[in-house]
Amino acid sequence: MKTLVLLVSVIAFASSLQAQQSGPITNTDGRKTTSLNGDWQVIVDPYESGYYNYRYQPSDNGYFKNAKPKTKSDLIEYDFDNSTTLKVPGDWNTQSDQLFFYEGTVWYKKSFDYQRKPERRVFAYFGAANYLADVYLNGEKIGQHEGGFTPFSFEITKLLRDSGNFLIVKVDNKRRRDAVPTLMTDWWNYGGLTRDVKLIETPLTFVQDYMVQLQRGSRNVESGWVRLEGARRNQKVTVRIPEAQITKSFTTDANGLAKFDFKADLKLWSPESPKLYDVTIEAETDQVSEQIGFRSIETKGTDILLNGRPIFLRGVCIHEEAPIRGGRANSREEAQMLLGWAKELGANFVRLAHYPHNEHMIREADRLGIMVWSEVPVYWTIQWENPDTIDNARNQLSEMITRDKNRAAVIIWSVANETPLSDARLAFLKNLVSRAREIDGTRLLTAAMERHYVDATTQMIDDPLGEYLDVLGCNEYVGWYDGLPEKADKLEWRSKYQKPVIMSEFGGDALYGHHGDDLTRWTEEYQESIYRHQIAMLKRIPFLRGTSPWILTDFRSPRRPLPKIQDYWNRKGLISSGGEKKKAFFVMQQWYRELQSQAR
Ligand code: GCU
């Protein structure tokens, strides 16, 4: 360790760190937690009669009261304790045939005892709930969360009892025009408490949130902040990285905030060596720790530089569809299987589409050395002019960044996918771009955009949004929605911007085991042909710095009913819903192996 120069500055920039809707708890690592996963009693309530009275007004006496008849004459028309159960975490659609297509409200109830301790606070934490969650403890409303793919938590200290607690969540996955995503998506609208639920205990004043990452463009200046929540906000806090003998102390201000920079030569994280350090944030009243990697990511002209060196992102898109069993993936094992397949393909990068995936996925990518594109579900035709929709999208973006800002694997935030050009859309997305830069200045920003023909054989990338992005994502389906596979042979690509381009989607459908000549749709041979012609075309694009074909595995979509071929699966996977590799997988793998050997 050559030089340790300490640069300490304390700046209150509370405004940009305003507590998001996600609530006080951001990182659960190293905290005392009590899992509430497992069987929850549920009531399926398509008419929301557990929430509204017959005049469609919210009732004070809804199912959240978990009422029981006190006498034989009492009229109670629901009973959680004699109701069926669903597993949490999990979507309801794949747990019951009756709920496969169900979109509406399901009430979840979990009873539990909890040994309360003096001088401690307790929070109910949800990894995610799709889509709108109203949360109650012991009959009292504790909060609401909108957005199906980001964590949220509510404090329950005052309402908690030692025994006989009941946590009730009304989960509604009805699609709405003003929501994010909006009415139309090409993925299954899996509903429910889709990720872990747990109780988290903290001291009265605790480390509410922190960020420790390399400063943008630097390879030896760590910068970040720590924020305390509670009565004693003005404390000494220390950042420790024992393996690197780093101990840096600062003092939080009256708002509980300390911002810092310090110099340190750490081993940098990369796909070849995904180095993670144990990092501890210590305050006088609390301590948290987790594994963090340090790497720099930036662009220079049309190049993407990782730790100062140009890289090519050998990627693949992934939906959060559980491999083999189908349904929302939610475990470390499923993340390992999906990322294992990506590694087998030769990938050093994954585009997690079209929403923030579960935390297991991101932490596994950190450990495996796979770079990540993470995206908010601003997908297709969002209601651009609706202020509530903008707030909702901003909030989902903030929650995504808040959860994963210390993950070295995450190199790019994406604000949108295939959104139609308009002034309102541009204003909406510029708003998201500035929000993202406000919260996290260390990562690249992108969006999956569309291209257009300037003549029969020339493609142009000139979406006005490109001006505000660091990296341009472009989706194209030459050979599937646009002509036959060989059409790619004649195409030339142009871009209005001197910026790196990632071909963020390309490919076509094939049913595994369905064979024929390479002009017969739905066969493995047709899909294989698309990939052969695509790769030849991609190699000719001078500003191309990454690819993520659509998609690693087949995934469910309500837009794909073709019998005996799709059966409500989008079959563009390189791997089938049964986990079998299609011919195109090996075409892509061969190219990635070539690129890998060239990069060495
Ligand atoms: C679109 C879209 C994907 C969709 C894919 C397809 O480009 O971004 O969400 O699944 O095309 O049509 O298969």
Side-chain angles (χ1 to χ4, degrees), residues 512-527:
Y512 175 75
H514 186 49
H515 294 288
D517 63 49
D518 64 10
L519 283 175
T520 302
R521 295 250 174 189
W522 312 109
T523 62
E524 289 194 45
E525 287 71 21
Y526 189 106
Q527 187 191 44

Side-chain angles (χ1 to χ4, degrees), residues 186 354 379 417-418 477 481 505 550 555 560 570 572:
D186 191 30
H354 293 288
Y379 182 92
N417 180 74
E418 289 186 358
Y477 281 93
Y481 298 124
E505 287 184 35
W550 190 261
F555 62 96
R560 312 293 174 174
N570 182 312
K572 292 190 179 68

Side-chain angles (χ1 to χ4, degrees), residues 8-123:
V8 177
S9 61
V10 177
I11 307 170
F13 60 135
S15 67
S16 70
L17 297 175
Q18 258 322 317
Q20 286 89 12
Q21 185 188 7
S22 63
I25 296 284
T26 51
N27 173 29
T28 63
D29 259 38
R31 290 221 174 276
K32 177 178 177 309
T33 65
T34 308
S35 172
L36 291 182
N37 289 351
D39 291 336
W40 287 53
Q41 280 108 2
V42 296
I43 300 175
V44 180
D45 185 12
Y47 280 46
E48 300 184 291
S49 44
Y51 188 81
Y52 296 105
N53 62 23
Y54 79 117
R55 290 281 179 252
Y56 208 64
Q57 293 142 345
S59 150
D60 298 338
N61 211 10
Y63 293 174
F64 49 85
K65 289 294 182 191
N66 190 26
K68 300 285 177 193
K70 292 192 183 57
T71 71
K72 63 182 178 187
S73 315
D74 268 359
L75 171 60
I76 305 286
E77 295 186 279
Y78 68 93
D79 179 0
F80 277 106
D81 296 325
N82 283 306
S83 297
T84 181
T85 62
L86 285 174
K87 288 233 169 313
V88 171
D91 61 273
W92 60 61
N93 311 74
T94 55
Q95 292 190 56
S96 141
D97 292 348
Q98 288 172 308
L99 297 176
F100 185 61
F101 286 102
Y102 182 66
E103 295 184 294
T105 282
V106 172
W107 293 86
Y108 286 77
K109 195 266 293 181
K110 187 77 172 178
S111 297
F112 63 95
D113 298 339
Y114 192 87
Q115 196 49 57
R116 292 175 301 167
K117 297 182 207 62
E119 314 275 300
R120 305 296 286 176
R121 298 168 71 174
V122 183
F123 300 83

Side-chain angles (χ1 to χ4, degrees), residues 1 3-9 211-225 239-241 244 246 248 250 259-269 277 279 292-296 307 406 442:
M1 191 74 69
T3 54
L4 284 181
V5 182
L6 185 61
L7 300 166
V8 177
S9 61
M211 182 170 184
V212 191
Q213 285 284 284
L214 271 181
Q215 211 168 58
R216 182 136 175 187
S218 160
R219 279 180 287 294
N220 63 359
V221 177
E222 276 69 30
S223 96
W225 46 270
V239 177
R240 287 186 204 288
I241 311 180
I246 290 175
K248 305 281 171 202
F250 320 97
K259 187 177 178 203
F260 55 78
D261 305 309
F262 59 84
K263 256 193 164 176
D265 292 312
L266 298 173
K267 193 165 179 336
L268 299 183
W269 182 98
Y277 284 89
V279 177
I292 298 181
F294 299 90
R295 52 97 195 94
S296 79
N307 300 332
N406 288 315
T442 69

